[in-house]
Amino acid sequence: MLDYTKREKKFMTVTLEDGRKVLVRPSKKKFYEKFVEFGSDPKNKTFGGLLEMSAMILSDNPSGVTFTPEELEEMFDIGDVKLLINEYQKFLKELGNNPN
């Protein structure tokens, strides 16, 4: 029997430099489509575009905390932003490869 109330959800834990922990959800269809579209558009490879995607990733959390690109610009350098996006891609791939 399938019981979604007993299914353990997996989250990606991100610890920010100020010590806050953010649990990032697995993407739903709408967000996943935006994420894939983002990756295929070369104009999104700008620092501003990467900050925008990072804000979307971090804002998709069960606590309802919203992050803005401007806020992340104060916290992250380009390496931090790329690391977050790469780790999120790995997280999604891992979920896709794991049937449970």
Side-chain angles (χ1 to χ4, degrees):
M1 176 183 219
L2 178 61
D3 185 350
Y4 280 104
T5 62
K6 296 186 186 213
R7 182 173 174 259
E8 184 179 330
K9 292 278 189 176
K10 297 190 188 303
F11 295 90
M12 181 176 94
T13 303
V14 178
T15 305
L16 302 174
E17 287 185 353
D18 62 6
R20 288 184 290 168
K21 289 188 187 283
V22 180
L23 297 178
V24 178
R25 296 181 225 248
S27 63
K28 293 193 177 179
K29 182 181 182 287
K30 185 176 179 181
F31 183 82
Y32 183 77
E33 288 173 349
K34 282 184 183 180
F35 188 72
V36 170
E37 181 182 315
F38 173 86
S40 64
D41 189 345
K43 74 177 182 180
N44 291 329
K45 302 296 187 217
T46 65
F47 190 46
L50 296 172
L51 284 168
E52 188 175 324
M53 179 50 63
S54 297
M56 288 175 59
I57 291 169
L58 289 174
S59 295
D60 192 14
N61 63 74
S63 300
V65 177
T66 302
F67 293 87
T68 65
E70 295 78 21
E71 180 182 8
L72 296 184
E73 185 175 12
E74 296 298 317
M75 283 193 267
F76 291 162
D77 61 29
I78 188 73
D80 296 330
V81 172
K82 286 185 172 186
L83 179 62
L84 174 64
I85 293 171
N86 288 336
E87 289 299 313
Y88 186 69
Q89 285 175 317
K90 287 181 195 174
F91 171 63
L92 293 180
K93 186 175 181 180
E94 181 182 300
L95 289 175
N97 290 337
N98 185 357
N100 295 319

